[in-house]
Structure formats: C-alpha cells, structure tokens
Amino acid sequence: MDLKNRQRAFLNLFFFLSGVCFTTWTSRIPTIKEFFGFNYAELGTILMCMPFSSLIGLPISGWLVSRYNSRVPLAVAFCSVAVALSCLGFSTTKLGLIASLCLLAFSTRIINIAVNTQALHLQKIFNRHINGSFHGLWSTGGIAGVGFTSLLLYFHVSIATHLLIVTSIILVATLTCYRFLLDNDRAPSGNKLILAKPDPYMVYLGILVFLASICEGGMFDWSGNFFKEVVNEEIFTLGYLNFMIFMSLSRFASDGIVTRIGMDRMFMVSAGFIVVGIALAVVFPTFWPSMVGFCLVGFGTASVIPVTYSLAAGSKKYSPGMAISILATYGITGAFLGPPLIGYLAQAFGLKHAFITFGLAGLMLAPVSQAFFKYSRGEKMSVVQD
C-alpha cells in the first residue's frame, strides 16, 4: 500500500472511532435521564453544558491548529475522550455528570477539527472528492456504537461497564495507530482568526452548518427519548440506529451524488428529505412511520456538513484547519441552542411537537444554500472581470 492510501486507511479508522465515541454517549442519554430523574427541561439544560464547553475551547483549538501537526492534538483528544466516557459511566452526582460532559465536549471539538483538517489535506493529495467517504466512516462508527449499546441494553449491562469497555478499545487503538496518520500538515499561513468585517463566504457556510447542527445534533440527543416516550418502544435505540444507518449510506454515496447533480442541488434534495421525514414521524408517531421518517432525516442531514467543510477549503482568507474551526463554532452554536430548545419546547408542548423544530431547520437549508451559491458565482465573475 502506498503512503497516501495507508494514511487514508488509518484516517478512516479515526473517523470510525470518533463516531463510536459520540453515539456511545448519546445512545445512553435516556439511561442518564432515568437515573437522575430529569424532566425534559432539566435534561435540555444539562445538555447545554456541552456546546458551552466547546465554545470555551475555540481559542485553544485555534492555537493547536497553528502550533502543531493535526495528528498530535488528535491523539491527545482521543485519550481525553476515553477518560471522559469512563468518568461518565461512574457519575452518580450532577456535578460529576456535568464535569464529564464538559471534558467530553471539549475533547470532541479538538477531534472534529483535527480529523477534518487531515481529511481536507488528503483530499487535495487525491485530487478528487473523498471527504464524504470519511464522514461515512464516522456514521458507520456511529452505527457500531448504537448497535453495541442496543446489544448491551438487551442483556441489561450497566452503563458503567459499557463505557469502560469502549474506553479500553479507544485507548488501545489510539496509542497504537495515531503515528500512521498524515504528518507535516500544518499550514504556513491563514492560521489566525481575522477579527474584521465578516467574510460572506464563511458566513453563508457557517449558517448552513448551524442549521444542520440543530437538526443533526437534535436527532442525536433526542431520538432515543422520542422512541422511548412517544413511540413507546422498549429498545429505544432502534430509531437512532436506523437514523445512523441511512446517514452512513448517504455519506458514502455523497461524493458520487455531488459529482452527478452538483452541490447546489444536493442541498435542495437534503432539505426535502429532512422536511418529509420529520413530518412523517410527527404526524404518524408509531413504529414504522417513525422508522421511515428517521431514515429520511438521516439521508437528508448526512451530506450537509461534509460538503460544507469541502467548500470551506475554497476560502481565500483561511487555512483548511482554521476554516473548519470557524465552521465548527457555528455548529457548536447550533448545538448550544438546539438540545435545550427542544427540551424546553417538549416540556411545554410535548416532545412530538418539539420535533417540528428540526423540520424548520432543514427547510431553511434550501434558501440559505442557494444564496451562498449565488454569492459564490458573483465572486468568481468579479475575479474574472478584474
């Protein structure tokens, strides 16, 4: 295997592990809600600490992008996530729970920036669209995480044992394999955040990530509770698992779809799938309609963030790592508002009606994406005329 394909193979592994870590925690949210006796609003407030912790990490993540090759902070962050998961499993107080979630969110932010920086550099080396396949591996890892959780729920394995197993796997894999990733990917310029007039190119992309994060992050955090308390399904991870499967399938297909129909149409198709899927689950909140609805939402949300990250590589002001960090901040803001908002709306109007928020966020992807491509075409024409 030549060098670039070996680096791609190991980066695939880390995208996969990232998905495992994330869904291992989110699939256990109903367990945590039940253990602590939270209502919807209280759970939403607890979930707010994660994006808040990620926002605090913005200057640190920016410094890491400019100071190190991305594989160094990637390895440290994965080890930190493993520790956070283990602590989460043994948390018996609200303070311990919040501390574990803050560490998990902060470390996950660094992982997000590092793996996507690696992906954009490798995409340039391959000189074709491969970013969607990396995110497909993330979703596949998510499927593995939810599937493993479902299996342990069936056998009534405790959350502490569950997270300790996952922690051990993550630590061994990280310490063994991180050195095979792409090295020397630190960008020579564009590593500083420019605090001046906002760049419209990045603002449009940021809004797309913001909307996708409300929808995608909300589905991660609340789909288990939807199936447990609205659909009344005992194995409450089934809807989440279905969502992740179709998200994974969509991401593996996204590079080919983008090549065939173009990025602008892809956003329109994604918006349509999200709106129809949410409508189906809300109007017919029984097992099979909700399963079909969740699969449509998974298919619709899947491509938005990887395609938007790929577009960020076209920024004329920022390096790939800094551009991803900026977009991640928009995503974190969406995650900051989304889960607590759903919690408060669910407490006031019921969880089923609160899910309409995801449909509205998906719907807004259509006009915002078309405004971005209109601006982008105008910018290119201006450059040609000059």
Side-chain angles (χ1 to χ4, degrees):
M1 185 183 297
D2 62 16
L3 179 60
K4 68 177 184 180
N5 283 303
R6 186 186 68 182
Q7 291 168 335
R8 182 179 181 181
F10 280 99
L11 186 57
N12 282 338
L13 172 64
F14 280 94
F15 267 95
F16 179 86
L17 292 176
S18 179
V20 170
C21 291
F22 185 79
T23 59
T24 293
W25 128 250
T26 52
S27 61
R28 279 291 190 171
I29 289 176
T31 306
I32 294 170
K33 178 178 180 291
E34 183 177 5
F35 177 83
F36 285 95
F38 294 139
N39 61 32
Y40 290 128
E42 289 170 336
L43 179 60
T45 301
I46 289 293
L47 293 175
M48 190 185 294
C49 74
M50 297 190 71
F52 183 74
S53 178
S54 294
L55 281 174
I56 291 175
L58 173 62
I60 297 176
S61 61
W63 176 77
L64 289 171
V65 166
S66 63
R67 179 69 176 81
Y68 295 104
N69 297 319
S70 59
R71 71 176 185 176
V72 176
L74 178 64
V76 174
F78 259 110
C79 292
S80 182
V81 161
V83 171
L85 284 174
S86 183
C87 292
L88 184 64
F90 289 95
S91 295
T92 57
T93 65
K94 291 182 181 179
L95 182 60
L97 175 65
I98 291 171
S100 300
L101 291 178
C102 287
L103 178 61
L104 180 64
F106 181 82
S107 305
T108 300
R109 174 175 177 77
I110 296 174
I111 289 174
N112 176 272
I113 294 170
V115 295
N116 281 288
T117 299
Q118 288 254 332
L120 291 184
H121 280 288
L122 274 175
Q123 183 167 260
K124 288 181 179 180
I125 294 172
F126 277 84
N127 198 29
R128 68 176 190 271
H129 289 292
I130 61 172
N131 200 32
S133 66
F134 287 126
H135 287 261
L137 263 297
W138 186 94
S139 298
T140 304
I143 293 170
V146 181
F148 189 53
T149 302
S150 302
L151 179 66
L152 297 187
L153 283 172
Y154 181 80
F155 288 106
H156 304 287
V157 176
S158 71
I159 185 174
T161 302
H162 173 197
L163 298 186
L164 197 58
I165 293 170
V166 174
T167 293
S168 302
I169 294 171
I170 298 301
L171 284 174
V172 171
T174 299
L175 296 175
T176 303
C177 301
Y178 89 94
R179 64 183 183 276
F180 298 109
L181 293 172
L182 179 70
D183 197 7
N184 298 321
D185 63 341
R186 177 176 175 267
S189 61
N191 288 317
K192 294 183 178 180
L193 184 63
I194 302 172
L195 299 175
K197 181 179 178 181
D199 178 12
Y201 188 92
M202 294 300 297
V203 170
Y204 279 121
L205 293 181
I207 294 172
L208 289 172
V209 171
F210 171 81
L211 293 169
S213 295
I214 289 178
C215 185
E216 186 176 312
M219 290 294 291
F220 290 147
D221 288 353
W222 288 101
S223 59
N225 283 293
F226 187 92
F227 261 71
K228 184 176 183 179
E229 300 176 24
V230 178
V231 181
N232 295 315
E233 178 62 36
E234 182 178 357
I235 307 298
F236 53 79
T237 53
L238 290 177
Y240 189 12
L241 180 61
N242 188 54
F243 170 77
M244 292 300 302
I245 288 172
F246 279 87
M247 175 177 276
S248 179
L249 292 174
S250 177
R251 282 181 167 171
F252 281 120
S254 65
D255 292 325
I257 293 173
V258 167
T259 301
R260 186 178 297 270
I261 70 172
M263 291 184 177
D264 53 347
R265 292 181 181 176
M266 188 281 302
F267 281 105
M268 298 294 289
V269 171
S270 294
F273 274 122
I274 293 169
V275 171
V276 173
I278 291 295
L280 193 58
V282 170
V283 176
F284 304 103
T286 54
F287 183 78
W288 285 112
S290 296
M291 288 288 279
V292 173
F294 275 37
C295 94
L296 292 176
V297 177
F299 203 87
T301 57
S303 301
V304 177
I305 289 180
V307 170
T308 307
Y309 279 4
S310 292
L311 288 167
S315 171
K316 295 179 175 62
K317 288 189 176 181
Y318 298 108
S319 67
M322 182 54 69
I324 290 170
S325 181
I326 292 169
L327 293 186
T329 303
Y330 281 91
I332 289 166
T333 305
F336 187 91
L337 296 175
L341 176 62
I342 296 303
Y344 301 142
L345 290 175
Q347 190 68 23
F349 305 107
L351 186 57
K352 181 181 73 172
H353 296 103
F355 261 56
I356 296 173
T357 306
F358 303 146
L360 294 175
L363 180 64
M364 288 302 298
L365 289 171
V368 174
S369 64
Q370 297 314 297
F372 164 77
F373 286 108
K374 182 178 179 180
Y375 169 80
S376 184
R377 285 191 291 267
E379 190 178 48
K380 288 180 181 178
M381 290 179 62
S382 175
V383 170
V384 170
Q385 290 173 358
D386 291 343

